[in-house]
Amino acid sequence: MSLPATPAPSAPTTAAPTQADLLDFVRRTAADRDLIASLPLDPEGRTWVRLEGPGGSEAWLIGWPPGTGTGWHDHADSVGAFLAASGELKENSLAARLPTDGWKTLELSEGVDRERRLTAGQGRAFGRHHVHEVLNESTTEHAVSVHAYYPPLPQIRRYSRTGQTLRLESVERPEDWQ
């Protein structure tokens, strides 16, 4: 009796980071107090430094002056996570799956709005096509956050919102923000 041939070991493959992996990364990174303190803060506008994320992900350390925010946007096909390392951030998001292409204006149903307040050490992960805005509503304090996305951001779609109407305004590509 002969045994079946054993396949040769293959080279290890690196799995794409999951939302949980990205959330773990932003938690660990935010705990690096020296890194957080090294981010230059500007009283007028957001500042950022690109970081090496896990498994080929894109990561950022972002400083938020009082009263600043992102506006409504999504991260296209990327999953992500972010965490407030200092200060407090507010996230407004939509609990609805939006069509990804072929529209300019959508009328949102009642009850799709979600609000989260993230104080230092609190974060969240999110899936593809997650539409949200992030704000530092403080009038006096900077906030600092850590963000990670996989795959690296292919685009960011920016939206305007009036009441329950969401309108696609622009599409940014990596060359627009790097």
Side-chain angles (χ1 to χ4, degrees):
M1 177 169 135
S2 64
L3 297 173
T6 303
S10 59
T13 58
T14 303
T18 64
Q19 292 175 43
D21 295 332
L22 297 175
L23 186 57
D24 181 59
F25 168 80
V26 298
R27 280 192 179 118
R28 286 183 288 107
T29 302
D32 183 340
R33 303 319 304 163
D34 291 336
L35 175 65
I36 301 308
S38 74
L39 180 67
L41 300 177
D42 182 326
E44 300 298 318
R46 288 189 300 151
T47 54
W48 55 86
V49 173
R50 187 160 183 171
L51 305 172
E52 288 295 320
S57 63
E58 181 173 341
W60 298 89
L61 179 61
I62 301 176
W64 304 78
T68 58
T70 60
W72 287 94
H73 67 283
D74 73 15
H75 304 101
D77 290 323
S78 297
V79 298
F82 72 103
L83 184 133
S86 67
E88 179 179 286
L89 295 172
K90 176 183 174 187
E91 180 197 32
N92 295 318
S93 63
L94 301 177
R97 180 96 174 153
L98 302 181
T100 57
D101 294 308
W103 64 276
K104 286 290 234 175
T105 304
L106 285 176
E107 192 69 27
L108 301 171
S109 299
E110 295 293 328
V112 299
D113 290 298
R114 299 293 180 267
E115 178 183 308
R116 287 182 178 85
R117 295 211 175 260
L118 303 172
T119 58
Q122 294 181 316
R124 71 177 312 270
F126 54 86
R128 296 176 174 174
H129 311 291
H130 175 70
V131 177
H132 69 166
E133 67 175 347
V134 180
L135 309 159
N136 177 4
E137 292 187 321
S138 172
T139 58
T140 59
E141 301 294 323
H142 264 80
V144 175
S145 58
V146 181
H147 302 247
Y149 310 99
Y150 188 85
L153 296 173
Q155 64 184 14
I156 293 177
R157 289 181 288 240
R158 299 238 175 239
Y159 305 97
S160 63
R161 180 156 181 204
T162 306
Q164 294 304 110
T165 302
L166 188 70
R167 176 181 298 279
L168 176 64
E169 296 292 344
S170 65
V171 177
E172 296 176 2
R173 307 232 182 274
E175 56 272 15
D176 297 326
W177 65 79
Q178 293 187 14

